[in-house]
């Protein structure tokens, strides 16, 4: 089995996945509550928490799989992009484990990991397809021709879609992390109540910063009581604008590239309206949308391993290459 480790942001995660993509264990410990009082992830706090959680999360993954380290034949770990201090905790843990057992180490790009969430059992997707990757830090349209990689055909010029959800939720007083909360509140609102325009930028790129400002202006003019009354309508209209932008661009890119299949991955792929709007697409399973280590182990099946002990000097990187 492949042991996957993921610590790029505020989830400490470990998973055990077989070569054929069967998930034997998938443990995710979210630090969301720890960071909620600050309204966002505090990098140094995240690193320290990863340090505390790495060993217990790994232990739980082994227990869930009914396995020991003897059953592990390679260690996969996210080495970027993400918070550098957080990444270093997972990378150091992975190096130590691999080195102590003389195993190869497979460094995995976090974004390749999100795409590889589609390659797991029981319903693995086969390339080629057009992939919308919408998460807390990225909004990408990817032309996926092989399991091993992809070509970027569109990206966000400012905020990521998940970031837009989180910032919108904050403006609506829904706390942090806000994507799920906004999704839930929007279910009771009228998506046509407000017209929030989304910037149309050339090509297949996205821009969400103007949308956030439009919501800010709408909220600013409301009294506390009015905001409480209109919250669901505001959430539904705001969500509609984000989803419409994502769906329009994904469909346009698929048409232009001649892709017959669209797939959606990343935290925002958990959004109920997006899942409905792209019901014909391959949607990452809910449990594998937000950060997890099963997707990292999955990606490792298609990435080159570094033999023992050549990986000891391997570094992490903060931003997408
Ligand atoms: N149901 C939902 N509706 C909308 N957004 C959601 C939903 N569930 C989660 N999100 C958003 O998904 C994001 C988290 O996704 P993910 O864990 O993939 O991102 P990340 O790892 O922080 O960023 P990246 O993968 O780009 O480094 C958050 O912005 C969160 O608000
Ligand atoms: Mg992620």
């Amino acid at each position: 089995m492949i042991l996957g480790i993921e610590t790029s942001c505020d989830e400490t995660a470990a998973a055990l996945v077989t070569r054929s993509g069967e998930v034997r264990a998938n443990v995710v410990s979210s630090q969301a509550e720890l960071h909620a009082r600050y309204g966002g992830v505090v990098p140094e706090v995240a690193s320290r928490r990863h340090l505390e959680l790495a060993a217990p999360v790994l232990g739980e993954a082994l227990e869930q799989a009914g396995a020991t380290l003897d059953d592990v034949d390679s260690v996969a770990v996210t080495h970027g992009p993400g918070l550098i201090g957080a990444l270093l905790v997972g990378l150091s843990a992975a190096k130590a484990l691999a080195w102590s057992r003389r195993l190869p180490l497979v460094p995995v790009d976090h974004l390749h990991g999100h795409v590889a969430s589609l390659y797991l059992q029981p319903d693995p997707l086969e390339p080629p397809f057009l992939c919308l990757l919408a998460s807390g830090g990225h909004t990408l349209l990817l032309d996926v021709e092989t399991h091993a990689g992809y070509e970027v055909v569109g990206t966000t010029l400012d905020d990521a879609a998940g970031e837009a959800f989180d910032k919108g939720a904050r403006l609506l007083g829904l706390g942090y992390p806000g994507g799920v909360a906004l999704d839930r509140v929007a279910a009771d609102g009228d998506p046509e109540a407000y017209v929030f325009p989304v910037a149309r930028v050339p090509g297949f790129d996205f821009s969400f910063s103007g949308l956030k400002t439009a919501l800010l202006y709408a909220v600013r003019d409301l009294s506390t009581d009015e905001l409480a009354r209109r919250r669901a309508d505001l959430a539904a209209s705001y969500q509609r604008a984000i989803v419409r932008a994502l769906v329009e661009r994904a469909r346009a890119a698929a048409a232009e590239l001649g892709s017959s299949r669209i797939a959606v991955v990343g935290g925002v792929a958990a959004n109920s309206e997006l899942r409905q709007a792209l019901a014909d697409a391959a949607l990452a399973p809910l449990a594998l949308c937000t950060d997890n280590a099963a997707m990292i182990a999955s990606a490792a099946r298609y990435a080159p391993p570094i033999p023992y002990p050549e990986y000891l000097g391997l570094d992490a990187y903060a931003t997408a290459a």
Side-chain angles (χ1 to χ4, degrees):
M1 282 186 284
I2 305 166
L3 167 64
I5 296 176
E6 153 65 42
T7 63
S8 69
C9 191
D10 65 339
E11 271 94 17
T12 315
L16 288 152
V17 171
T18 65
R19 291 267 150 214
S20 61
E22 197 190 319
V23 182
R24 293 284 173 82
N26 186 26
V27 177
V28 180
S29 175
S30 172
Q31 307 177 9
E33 270 176 42
L34 183 66
H35 299 280
R37 76 180 105 152
Y38 307 111
V41 177
V42 184
E44 187 53 26
V45 173
S47 309
R48 285 162 196 259
R49 194 74 181 129
H50 283 309
L51 213 49
E52 292 166 357
L53 289 171
V57 164
L58 170 68
E60 201 176 316
L62 287 169
E63 197 181 307
Q64 210 178 77
T68 70
L69 285 176
D70 290 340
D71 302 309
V72 173
D73 62 25
S74 66
V75 181
V77 63
T78 308
H79 68 142
L83 302 171
I84 202 75
L87 286 162
L88 286 172
V89 176
L91 183 58
S92 305
K95 281 182 191 174
L97 271 167
W99 178 78
S100 68
R101 320 265 325 167
R102 300 184 176 245
L103 296 173
L105 184 111
V106 193
V108 171
D109 182 277
H110 182 78
L111 303 177
H112 185 213
H114 274 299
V115 177
S117 64
L118 298 162
Y119 304 148
L120 289 163
Q121 302 281 2
D123 198 14
L125 184 69
E126 288 294 316
F129 55 89
L130 186 279
C131 187
L132 167 64
L133 190 168
S135 61
H138 299 86
T139 309
L140 297 167
L141 284 171
L142 308 170
D143 184 12
V144 184
E145 297 278 351
T146 74
H147 288 102
Y150 47 73
E151 197 182 316
V152 177
V153 295
T155 185
T156 180
L157 303 178
D158 38 61
D159 292 348
E163 197 178 352
F165 269 105
D166 292 334
K167 287 178 175 171
R170 191 178 188 157
L171 287 170
L172 293 171
L174 297 172
Y176 170 87
V180 194
L182 197 146
D183 189 350
R184 209 175 302 127
V185 170
D188 299 324
D190 173 9
E192 313 272 311
Y194 292 83
V195 179
F196 289 127
V198 177
R200 275 173 206 275
V201 288
F204 298 123
D205 290 337
F206 301 90
S207 168
F208 293 107
S209 66
L211 174 65
K212 177 188 64 193
T213 310
L215 179 65
L216 171 70
Y217 289 156
V219 168
R220 206 179 48 178
D221 296 337
L222 299 178
S223 69
T224 314
D225 283 355
E226 279 173 324
L227 176 59
R229 224 175 319 112
R230 304 305 306 270
R231 187 175 280 123
D233 286 345
L234 284 161
S237 306
Y238 185 76
Q239 173 172 281
R240 170 64 52 92
I242 297 175
V243 169
R244 188 170 284 167
L246 294 174
V247 172
E248 275 176 11
R249 279 288 137 109
R251 291 213 190 278
E256 170 98 4
L257 295 167
S259 317
S260 55
R261 202 79 208 267
I262 295 177
V264 193
V265 299
V268 178
N271 182 262
S272 58
E273 184 169 346
L274 182 63
R275 292 181 90 84
Q276 267 167 33
L278 287 173
D280 55 329
L283 304 164
L286 272 183
L288 299 178
C289 288
T290 44
D291 287 352
N292 63 86
M295 70 184 196
I296 302 304
S298 177
R301 296 181 295 149
Y302 312 103
I306 305 179
Y308 164 89
E310 288 167 28
Y311 41 77
L312 290 176
L314 191 71
D315 213 349
Y317 53 93
T319 48

